[in-house]
Amino acid sequence: MRFALPAAALPVAALIAIAAPVIAQGLPGTANKALVTAGTYQVDPNHTQVTWTVNHMGFSMLSGQFGAGSGSITVDPAKPAATKVDVTFPVDQLSTTAARFTEHLKSKDFFDVATNPTARFVSTAVTPTANGATMTGNLTLKGVTKPVTLQVHFVGAGNNPMSKKLNFGFHATGTINRSDFGLGYAVPAVSDKVDLTINAAFSAS
């Protein structure tokens, strides 16, 4: 007896077939920084995330997330301090685990995405450290630009077996005060301090 896959399942089956060799070989990326050559690389919007976390009334920690819309990194392994990053985030596509909460965040009480649909981070300085780098830059959010400091750690690099292109990424952390950006609704019942966790991926063109 033969069974036919429903038409809707064919893309999934095809994806599994394509991904199988990738899964079989393990992690293609390594922590070898020498794999990254000098040049400008585009942000990978499918694998870049900005997660923000606040203390909600002292009861729990609450998080939401943005992706990346566009941007790039310019690097030269011989001159790490000259690294430049410029990434735009689609704030109007923010996500949480509750639809009503998401819509409230998009309103004028918070991000006012109808007027300010994107945010942007542009680096201004990079200082290499023993475990990565300290990156400072200007964050523009809700029409306000303020300096932000991030602690950045290299994750890994290698050729993506699916795209056949060099990929590499970083993990970064930092904090901001949301009231600095006109997002002070419900402070101090909900913390002014926001913890940021950034997973940034970049790819060769």
Side-chain angles (χ1 to χ4, degrees), residues 117-197:
T118 62
R120 184 182 181 190
F121 175 81
V122 180
S123 66
T124 54
V126 174
T127 303
T129 64
N131 298 315
T134 298
M135 176 178 287
T136 57
N138 290 321
L139 174 64
T140 300
L141 183 59
K142 202 177 180 181
V144 178
T145 301
K146 295 285 185 179
V148 174
T149 299
L150 301 174
Q151 301 305 317
V152 183
H153 301 276
F154 180 71
V155 175
N159 286 327
N160 186 319
M162 299 182 76
S163 68
K164 310 301 182 184
K165 296 178 180 179
L166 175 65
N167 277 217
F168 58 93
F170 302 89
H171 177 81
T173 57
T175 62
I176 61 172
N177 289 325
R178 59 192 179 93
S179 61
D180 289 344
F181 297 90
L183 293 161
Y185 183 92
V187 171
V190 178
S191 67
D192 193 12
K193 177 188 173 186
V194 180
D195 293 320
L196 300 174
T197 301

Side-chain angles (χ1 to χ4, degrees), residues 29-51:
T30 73
N32 183 2
K33 297 179 182 179
L35 294 175
V36 181
T37 56
T40 297
Y41 299 83
Q42 300 304 304
V43 69
D44 177 356
N46 294 319
H47 302 101
T48 296
Q49 304 167 325
V50 178
T51 302

